[in-house]
Amino acid sequence: MHLSEHNKNLFITFLSGTAAPFPHIYDAVSEQLLLLILKARQLNEDPEYSKWFAEQHQVLTMLQAQSEKISKIYPQNSLVLNFQEPKQDSLMDALIFMHQIYTGFDEGKVSLKTWGEMNRQPAEQGFRYAEQNKLREEFIHDDMFAILTEGPTHCPPIPPQARKGYCHQDLSIAHSCSSMLLSRLNNFHKIDSLPILADAIYNLITALRHARIAVPDCLSEFEKVHRDIMGGERRESYVLKNIIKLINDEGRDKFIERIAEQCGPQHADYLFSQFVGIYASEIIQWFAELQIYFKYVQSTPFDWKFTTVAADTRALSEEEEQKPTVAWESDYCQISIKRDTLLKLIQTNALHDAADSLADCLLRIYGQPAEVMFREKGAAPPISDTERQVYNFNSYHLYSTLQGNYQKSIGIVQSFEKWHENNKALLISHKKTRIERIDVQVRLAGLRCYDLKMGIPDGNRLKVKDGVYDLVKHDTSLRFENSISDISLQRYHSQVKKIINKDIDGLLLSQRKNNSKSPFSGAHHAIKPLWSKSEILEEE
């Protein structure tokens, strides 16, 4: 048997690197980041809010300068893979304290009021944290107060109706750190499909070995270099480097075409699913690193319990037999979910994810007796003590992550791609006769021109004669295929300026209206629009 013509074409197209398996995710994430930055620019243009942005930029900068002191209060865990020293992250250090200030703004409080609450917070009990608590209290009482009072510190929060669903933390980071954010956005293009292919081949051979199935002849050369990778940085292992060398020696296109012809469909399908799954997991890792400085919003908690109930063997009265009940005549699993939780999960489009999470937990508990039942040819084993326990959403041994679960990673990426296709706003242009797609790089170039001319975030404004366009042309984060003219950059800048001054609120309103028809997923791990973190009090 061989792959169908359709599957063969997909196999060759993706695994050869001719095309990527998720063609729209970069645009989808880019649009959300650009909408946030452009909204921050619009608010900063308003004299009523520009002082707030300047104040937070000053506080954030001064806290970053105290990074070394903060890192002594909250030392990063050095017990990481490869025993590498964790890199100092001054922004993350600053956000340890700024996060509460931003949350206070979301709640309608000025920064000094939030500081007062931070200063009165009871320290965590226990001898183990005594020194850390002392350093933290001293920093809040002395350093934090000095930083906050060096500026005006009288700026009120930006009202919800002006923020249009964005939170203060994200707006402030978009104002002060857009260059860093856009650099991380550009890291998407560093995702390399060749190491991903090597990873997928390694997984296939490992799976065949564990199952004691012979490796097909078309992959025999790879079996010779296969060794178990023992810890460390997987991509840096000599095993994967040897696999990559074998692919390059034959030629990637030639190798993939040969595998498509010679490999059985079962092995080819496994290799394909591994490749796409690893690719999806790298996209999710890229996205996680991009939004790590934004406010984390807790998803709707899934409050549920389940346990195994033995069949009631007592004789039932006639009245009991006629009365409707959720019980069964044989052993059963009883699941209960809070009604208000169920309604919230439906409202936030997270019900399917909650059911999926519950299914994973049920599998953890009932997987072993299901295997016994299979071996006993259908005879269910007695209820175990493990099954008799009552489990809930806080049960420690039911915690799960996305690590290694490639199917869920694929679903997350595809779900947000689909949402973007139904709800895109910034990256399309409505012409009289057609709708045109706008390249992300066009908006990025226009934004770069705007920021240089406006001096964002530090106030160092430049004019065209100062070489603004030359700076943009030499920006390595921009990825234009051909050289770009000053006239084009001037046009891109004018477009972005118009969006900031006139269009941004209309674009956000349009996306939210479309979202009501094709809502984003409220699932815990789902990628969500950044304007969904704060209540929107009024729509136009």
Side-chain angles (χ1 to χ4, degrees), residues 149-203:
T149 54
E150 184 160 321
T153 69
H154 303 306
C155 293
I158 302 172
Q161 57 267 35
R163 288 186 278 119
K164 304 297 182 186
Y166 291 114
C167 64
H168 285 85
Q169 178 169 331
D170 292 9
L171 288 166
S172 176
I173 296 298
H175 174 78
S176 297
C177 310
S178 59
S179 294
M180 179 272 295
L181 292 174
L182 295 177
S183 174
R184 293 196 171 205
L185 179 71
N186 191 50
N187 285 344
F188 175 84
H189 303 290
K190 295 180 181 179
I191 297 176
D192 189 346
S193 64
L194 182 56
I196 292 173
L197 175 60
D199 224 335
I201 292 170
Y202 175 86
N203 288 351

Side-chain angles (χ1 to χ4, degrees), residues 445 449 469 472-473 484-493:
C449 291
Y469 296 145
V472 176
K473 289 175 186 178
I484 189 165
S485 67
D486 289 0
I487 294 174
S488 294
L489 288 175
Q490 186 179 31
R491 184 169 71 253
Y492 300 159
H493 170 247

Side-chain angles (χ1 to χ4, degrees), residues 221-479:
E221 289 299 312
F222 296 93
E223 186 182 21
K224 293 176 185 177
V225 301
H226 182 280
R227 302 286 186 279
D228 288 337
I229 299 175
M230 306 299 291
E233 182 60 42
R234 183 180 173 104
R235 289 286 169 83
E236 294 301 316
S237 70
Y238 71 92
V239 178
L240 287 194
K241 287 181 178 179
N242 284 337
I243 292 175
I244 290 172
K245 184 178 185 304
L246 285 171
I247 295 170
N248 288 334
D249 287 348
E250 182 175 351
R252 184 172 174 181
D253 290 348
K254 184 178 177 182
F255 164 70
I256 293 301
E257 288 175 7
R258 177 171 67 80
I259 295 298
E261 288 292 339
Q262 298 177 8
C263 203
Q266 186 177 2
H267 297 151
D269 286 343
Y270 184 90
L271 183 60
F272 181 83
S273 64
Q274 287 289 306
F275 176 85
V276 175
I278 296 168
Y279 206 114
S281 68
E282 293 213 1
I283 288 173
I284 288 173
Q285 180 61 34
W286 159 74
F287 177 74
E289 291 173 1
L290 174 63
Q291 57 87 53
I292 193 171
Y293 302 111
F294 293 152
K295 181 179 180 179
Y296 173 76
V297 178
Q298 180 66 48
S299 301
T300 303
F302 185 17
D303 297 345
W304 48 261
K305 297 178 181 179
F306 72 84
T307 188
T308 306
V309 181
D312 190 350
T313 56
R314 66 184 177 84
L316 300 177
S317 66
E318 184 177 345
E319 182 180 350
E320 286 177 317
E321 286 182 345
Q322 293 178 351
K323 187 177 180 180
T325 176
V326 295
W328 296 91
E329 295 177 357
S330 58
D331 300 342
Y332 61 95
C333 172
Q334 181 171 310
I335 303 171
S336 66
I337 305 171
K338 287 185 178 180
R339 181 174 179 269
D340 62 339
T341 295
L342 195 58
L343 299 179
K344 289 176 183 175
L345 289 168
I346 293 170
Q347 285 180 340
T348 57
N349 195 24
L351 183 59
H352 288 88
D353 177 64
D356 190 48
S357 173
L358 176 59
D360 286 343
C361 295
L362 292 170
L363 188 61
R364 297 273 186 96
I365 304 305
Y366 294 102
Q368 195 271 336
E371 288 181 16
V372 174
M373 185 177 181
F374 176 77
R375 289 198 301 267
E376 297 298 324
K377 303 188 186 308
I383 299 174
S384 65
D385 290 340
T386 300
E387 293 174 75
R388 291 183 192 278
Q389 293 183 42
V390 176
Y391 297 95
N392 61 47
F393 55 97
N394 283 325
S395 296
Y396 71 92
H397 48 298
L398 296 181
Y399 288 162
S400 62
T401 66
L402 283 174
Q403 187 174 2
N405 195 332
Y406 295 145
Q407 203 55 47
K408 287 188 177 180
S409 298
I410 292 169
I412 289 168
V413 177
Q414 289 179 335
S415 173
F416 197 64
E417 279 191 315
K418 182 179 179 182
W419 180 85
H420 170 71
E421 288 302 297
N422 291 327
N423 296 281
K424 66 178 70 171
L426 182 67
L427 299 180
I428 54 172
S429 175
H430 293 273
K431 301 290 185 181
K432 289 183 178 180
T433 57
R434 66 191 185 280
I435 296 175
E436 288 184 354
R437 174 183 172 275
I438 297 174
D439 193 290
V440 172
Q441 304 307 313
V442 168
R443 292 288 182 249
L444 290 176
L447 175 63
R448 184 75 176 124
C449 291
Y450 177 88
D451 284 353
L452 288 169
K453 289 185 175 184
M454 297 299 293
I456 294 175
D458 297 313
N460 300 318
R461 294 180 179 232
L462 297 178
K463 297 180 179 179
V464 173
K465 66 179 182 181
D466 297 321
V468 167
Y469 296 145
D470 285 336
L471 287 170
V472 176
K473 289 175 186 178
H474 291 95
D475 190 330
T476 55
S477 67
L478 295 174
R479 305 177 65 85

